[in-house]
Amino acid sequence: MTMPTRLAGKIKQLKTLLVDADDFSVIMNYFLDDLVPDPAFQAKGKPLKDKTIEQRFRGVLEILHERLAIRSPGPAQMMAALWLKDFELAHGAFALGNRLGMAFYFRDLDMGLSALGALDGSMEVMFARFSVYDGVDPSKSFHIDRSKRRH
């Protein structure tokens, strides 16, 4: 059995945080501070070409736009989206009204996290952990809660 690479260990830690953490800023800070600057992480990222995942990101952004009542002359704009095939991880940046955001999503977990920061100089950041269950046979779908129980 081979030992995981340093990048693999970091991504495993991000998955654990995503499933277990109560403080979403801890998860996003780990992503931005520990993964994004890692040269191995940057080298693995390729432009996202998976239309299903792109639609998931857009769907989540539409829901955030609607639920947060963000005033915007148009829909959310994806600025960049990358895919790390080996880890089934998509991540990207977007603009939503007067906010800039980051999001990442693990296809194998069907779970992700987005963060929206205001451009008005305030320190307000809105977080949303999300799962998207469309296209899944309801008899096979499941949810993992913080106690790691499947149901």
Side-chain angles (χ1 to χ4, degrees), residues 8-79:
K10 288 180 179 181
I11 290 178
K12 182 178 178 183
Q13 176 64 20
L14 181 64
K15 282 182 165 183
T16 299
L17 289 170
L18 181 61
V19 171
D20 293 338
D22 292 325
D23 182 347
F24 295 160
S25 66
V26 169
I27 306 166
M28 191 56 75
N29 287 341
Y30 183 83
F31 176 73
L32 294 172
D33 295 343
D34 290 280
L35 277 173
V36 171
D38 187 319
F41 180 78
Q42 293 174 15
K44 288 276 188 187
K46 305 296 180 212
L48 178 64
K49 295 179 182 174
D50 186 317
K51 297 296 180 197
T52 302
I53 294 175
E54 286 179 18
Q55 288 174 335
R56 287 174 188 238
F57 272 147
R58 292 193 189 287
V60 168
L61 294 177
E62 287 174 18
I63 291 167
L64 289 173
H65 187 238
E66 179 183 305
R67 296 226 174 128
L68 298 174
I70 294 174
R71 293 185 196 139
S72 173
Q77 299 294 316
M78 287 296 296
M79 297 186 305

Side-chain angles (χ1 to χ4, degrees), residues 49-144:
K49 295 179 182 174
D50 186 317
K51 297 296 180 197
T52 302
I53 294 175
E54 286 179 18
Q55 288 174 335
R56 287 174 188 238
F57 272 147
R58 292 193 189 287
V60 168
L61 294 177
E62 287 174 18
I63 291 167
L64 289 173
H65 187 238
E66 179 183 305
R67 296 226 174 128
L68 298 174
I70 294 174
R71 293 185 196 139
S72 173
Q77 299 294 316
M78 287 296 296
M79 297 186 305
L82 299 173
W83 175 246
L84 282 77
K85 180 181 178 180
D86 295 347
F87 303 103
E88 297 191 74
L89 170 62
H91 66 95
F94 57 91
L96 182 58
N98 65 345
R99 298 179 176 276
L100 283 178
M102 296 284 301
F104 64 87
Y105 169 79
F106 285 101
R107 179 167 45 193
D108 60 336
L109 292 178
D110 192 20
M111 187 181 287
L113 181 71
S114 68
L116 288 165
L119 294 174
D120 62 6
S122 74
M123 299 299 288
E124 180 184 50
V125 178
M126 294 184 212
F127 296 95
R129 182 168 41 194
F130 59 89
S131 292
V132 185
Y133 296 106
D134 63 344
V136 177
D137 178 350
S139 68
K140 295 182 180 177
S141 66
F142 63 91
H143 170 74
I144 302 173

